[in-house]
Amino acid sequence: MDLVEEYAPTLLTILSTLEPYTRAPLSTLHTLSTRLTPLLTPYLTSLLNTLHASPAILSLAAILLLLILTLQILLFVRRVMMFWFRMMVRLLFWGVVVLIVSVVWQRGVGRTGEDLGRWASEVGSVWEREYRRWEGYQNQNGAGGGAGSGSGKGYGGAYGGGRTNAGSSWR
């Protein structure tokens, strides 16, 4: 009770200060209320009587309201997650940009270009070796020599025509 006694004068001062600004909207609301009440009362009464007579509609409305509320919560969670994901992607992008600029600044453009060329040729050779290795495994299974190859032709065997390395001794 002390809390109400303490803040009551402050609240009354604030309300009396705001009264000139709230007078027009409050009078408009009062006018609308007095004019619309006779028009809307029969419709609201019939709606409430219908809801009282059939509780299934009320249950359906409650389930629908719960569904809408759940979707709103999930959409909020999705927005929050996408915000942080975009933030991390931007941070990663600008971090990589700063890293590249610092490497070029430290080593120079020519030396960085040479290193990049060597790195690209090494990645290309590794890719080519791995491609040939896995192509050999596929050809080995396709020829009927690998485990689970079935007939080696067409469809059949494990997972469709022997195009799998499962169960074979490829390692």
Side-chain angles (χ1 to χ4, degrees):
M1 196 67 180
D2 294 332
L3 192 66
V4 174
E5 292 174 358
E6 184 178 335
Y7 288 111
T10 308
L11 288 175
L12 289 175
T13 306
I14 291 173
L15 286 176
S16 65
T17 306
L18 292 177
E19 195 271 332
Y21 304 109
T22 59
R23 186 181 316 138
L26 287 177
S27 69
T28 304
L29 284 175
H30 185 283
T31 305
L32 282 174
S33 171
T34 55
R35 288 185 183 174
L36 292 178
T37 299
L39 296 173
L40 295 179
T41 301
Y43 296 115
L44 288 176
T45 304
S46 66
L47 176 67
L48 290 176
N49 287 336
T50 305
L51 288 177
H52 183 68
S54 61
I57 294 175
L58 199 56
S59 299
L60 183 64
I63 290 172
L64 191 62
L65 181 67
L66 186 66
L67 178 69
I68 290 171
L69 184 66
T70 305
L71 285 175
Q72 290 298 320
I73 291 171
L74 288 174
L75 288 174
F76 173 73
V77 169
R78 179 186 164 270
R79 283 193 307 263
V80 168
M81 289 175 57
M82 288 306 295
F83 168 78
W84 286 109
F85 177 75
R86 286 186 193 119
M87 177 84 77
M88 291 298 120
V89 168
R90 287 181 189 138
L91 187 64
L92 180 69
F93 172 76
W94 288 111
V96 168
V97 167
V98 167
L99 179 72
I100 290 171
V101 167
S102 67
V103 165
V104 170
W105 183 274
Q106 184 181 13
R107 298 177 57 89
V109 177
R111 196 166 166 198
T112 304
E114 291 172 5
D115 288 345
L116 206 60
R118 275 191 241 123
W119 178 79
S121 95
E122 184 65 28
V123 167
S125 67
V126 168
W127 182 83
E128 187 177 349
R129 277 194 316 250
E130 289 296 314
Y131 180 78
R132 286 197 181 139
R133 185 178 86 157
W134 287 100
E135 190 177 47
Y137 291 142
Q138 185 178 2
N139 291 339
Q140 179 184 8
N141 280 340
S149 63
S151 65
K153 296 180 174 110
Y155 300 103
Y159 304 105
R163 294 187 178 258
T164 180
N165 292 321
S168 65
S169 58
W170 56 274
R171 285 189 184 217

